[in-house]
């Protein structure tokens, strides 16, 4: 949606990365790969892996507590909790209700998951902004969380090298009317690409069975080359739309905070969208691809390290399974 007068703004951010780190060399002892192959194709050097007792909602809660603290709010101030994830604690109920429980939110605020894969956080921002714009909610918690180490096939070297675990969170509230906040969100899907990045089994189409387990069809399957080509085009177009629809040029953008899918995808996006290279915030070497968590993790790292200053223009952009993708322009 295009608009120039922000209704909502980000009041606080937080992120959580599990302490256990799996380097490329560690991984090469499990599957037939190498540090050189992974780095040269993806830019990834390591990934964080959740502890066996950790669930997605635990990681989400850790990130959310930091975001609430930064916003100066208490859990019961929240009017809605939105979690973007493809790796919830359970298929039912939503990861968001476990997050509500763990944060100690007792006000019965609506809490739901949103399935847009790596674009989950940006979709969540769009929904939260619409809630606030419509006066449905005042304070909304938006989280991207993924425990991908439990949904990827550790025997499939073409996918398992890419992903990691983590969570990022942002608390949104009404804008101050000073032009700062969520300026626009643009959200897209292309269902014709649904089977190029998916988890075939375990849903209603192919319920769990001995065969599904044996064929390992309950893990992420990816057509890597198709994802690669489509992602470069779609992410750069969405970033361009965020800039142009608000009457800005690439030079007006202070930070691009892209989904950390793959460094070569990000190189392609950088070349196409015209924002200078040094204004892309990149952490993929340390975190790998954390799907919906990646944009809010980058955002929180940039905020806490003092890189983001009042009034700066930020562009968020991401693409993932669906394919679903999107962008947001935020004036900080
Ligand atoms: N280590 C070593 N070799 C590997 C490997 C690994 N981890 N994974 C695949 N290979 C091998 C393949 O078996 C193949 O070998 P072959 O030629 O003997 O058959 C060779 O490398 C090339 O495989 P291919 O799948 O064509 O590689 P690629 O150049 O397309 O690179 C990706 C694979 C996954 C790195 C690349 O397709 C990609 O980055 N795609 C986008 C993925 C992504 O970002 N997904 C998340 C989106 S949110």
């Amino acid at each position: 949606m295009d608009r120039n007068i922000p209704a909502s703004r980000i009041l606080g951010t937080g992120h959580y990365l599990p302490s256990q780190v799996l380097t490329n060399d560690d991984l090469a002892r499990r599957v037939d790969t190498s540090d050189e192959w992974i780095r040269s194709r993806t830019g990834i050097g390591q990934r964080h892996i959740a502890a066996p007792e950790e669930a997605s909602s635990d990681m989400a809660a850790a990130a959310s507590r930091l975001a609430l603290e930064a916003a100066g709010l208490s859990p019961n101030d929240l009017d809605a909790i939105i979690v973007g994830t493809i790796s919830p604690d359970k298929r039912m109920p939503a990861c968001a209700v476990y997050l509500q429980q763990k944060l100690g939110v007792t006000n019965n605020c609506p809490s739901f998951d949103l399935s847009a894969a790596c674009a989950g956080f940006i979709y969540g921002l769009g929904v939260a902004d619409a809630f606030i714009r419509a006066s449905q909610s005042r304070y909304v918690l938006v989280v991207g969380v993924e425990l991908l180490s439990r949904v990827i096939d550790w025997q499939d070297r073409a996918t398992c090298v890419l992903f990691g675990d983590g969570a990022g969170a942002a608390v949104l509230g009404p804008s101050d009317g000073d032009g700062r906040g969520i300026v626009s969100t643009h959200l897209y899907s292309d269902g014709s690409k649904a089977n190029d990045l998916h988890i075939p089994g375990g849903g209603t189409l192919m319920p769990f069975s001995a065969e599904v387990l044996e064929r390992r069809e309950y893990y992420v399957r990816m057509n890597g080359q198709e994802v690669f080509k489509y992602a470069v085009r779609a992410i750069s177009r969405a970033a361009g739309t965020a800039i142009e629809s608000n009457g800005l040029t690439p030079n007006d953008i202070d930070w691009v905070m892209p989904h950390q899918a793959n460094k070569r995808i990000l190189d392609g996006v950088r070349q196409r969208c015209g924002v200078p290279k040094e204004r892309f915030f990149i952490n993929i070497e340390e975190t790998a691809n954390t799907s919906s968590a990646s944009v809010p993790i980058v955002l929180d790292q940039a905020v806490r390290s003092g890189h983001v200053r009042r009034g700066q223009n930020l562009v968020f952009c991401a693409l993932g399974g669906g394919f679903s993708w999107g962008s947001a322009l935020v004036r900080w």
Side-chain angles (χ1 to χ4, degrees):
M1 194 171 149
D2 300 348
R3 43 184 183 242
N4 296 308
I5 304 168
S8 70
R9 74 184 179 93
I10 296 175
L11 304 175
T13 60
H15 82 273
Y16 172 80
L17 288 163
S19 55
Q20 192 197 334
V21 165
L22 188 72
T23 65
N24 291 344
D25 286 332
D26 296 333
L27 194 48
R29 284 189 276 276
R30 289 196 193 182
V31 286
D32 184 12
T33 189
S34 65
D35 180 59
E36 193 282 327
W37 195 96
I38 300 170
R39 276 183 195 277
S40 63
R41 304 284 175 125
T42 70
I44 293 167
Q46 62 173 40
R47 67 284 297 138
H48 292 256
I49 305 290
E53 66 279 8
E54 271 179 319
S56 298
S57 60
D58 293 311
M59 299 198 297
S64 300
R65 287 187 194 105
L66 291 171
L68 281 164
E69 190 187 326
L73 294 173
S74 306
N76 273 312
D77 291 326
L78 295 172
D79 299 307
I81 298 175
I82 304 173
V83 175
T85 188
I86 55 126
S87 47
D89 294 18
K90 300 180 185 176
R91 284 169 58 213
M92 186 186 75
C95 185
V97 299
Y98 289 105
L99 173 58
Q100 188 199 48
Q101 185 194 95
K102 287 173 183 174
L103 290 176
V105 176
T106 53
N107 63 12
N108 302 137
C109 72
S111 304
F112 57 94
D113 292 358
L114 192 154
S115 179
C118 307
F121 179 77
I122 294 177
Y123 267 59
L125 274 190
V127 174
D129 178 54
F131 273 24
I132 293 170
R133 190 170 287 274
S135 302
Q136 163 110 7
S137 316
R138 189 168 168 80
Y139 297 118
V140 184
L141 173 63
V142 182
V143 177
V145 61
E146 302 292 359
L147 212 162
L148 297 173
S149 62
R150 296 200 195 133
V151 299
I152 52 176
D153 186 348
W154 289 98
Q155 294 180 11
D156 175 8
R157 65 179 181 169
T159 54
C160 74
V161 300
L162 296 173
F163 299 105
D165 300 335
V171 176
L172 271 69
S175 79
D176 290 340
D178 57 1
R180 297 161 61 221
I182 313 290
V183 183
S184 66
T185 54
H186 289 86
L187 310 177
Y188 309 91
S189 296
D190 179 354
S192 73
K193 299 289 172 191
N195 289 346
D196 283 319
L197 183 50
H198 66 144
I199 299 177
T204 54
L205 180 67
M206 198 190 285
F208 276 114
S209 66
E211 291 75 34
V212 166
L213 292 178
E214 196 188 330
R215 292 197 301 263
R216 309 179 74 75
E217 282 175 314
Y218 51 99
Y219 288 129
V220 169
R221 294 277 174 87
M222 180 181 74
N223 176 354
Q225 292 187 0
E226 186 56 26
V227 175
F228 192 99
K229 281 186 287 184
Y230 203 103
V232 171
R233 284 196 305 265
I235 297 175
S236 48
R237 253 198 325 262
T241 303
I243 298 167
E244 286 151 26
S245 69
N246 290 297
L248 301 175
T249 69
N251 265 334
D252 298 318
I253 304 307
D254 298 286
W255 290 109
V256 177
M257 299 183 177
H259 167 43
Q260 313 286 310
N262 176 315
K263 190 169 173 299
R264 287 193 308 155
I265 291 179
L266 297 180
D267 289 342
V269 171
R270 283 200 292 224
Q271 280 160 16
R272 283 171 178 243
C273 86
V275 177
K277 192 175 170 193
E278 59 281 4
R279 297 191 198 166
F280 274 68
F281 211 98
I282 308 287
N283 69 0
I284 190 167
E285 189 177 356
E286 293 81 35
T287 61
N289 178 340
T290 57
S291 187
S292 67
S294 102
V295 170
I297 290 173
V298 165
L299 171 64
D300 187 51
Q301 288 179 336
V303 169
R304 286 177 193 267
S305 58
H307 284 84
V308 182
R309 290 193 301 277
R310 189 185 173 98
Q312 285 189 330
N313 289 320
L314 319 181
V315 169
F316 304 157
C317 45
L319 174 139
F323 295 151
S324 290
W325 68 101
S327 62
L329 183 86
V330 175
R331 188 156 302 123
W332 195 254

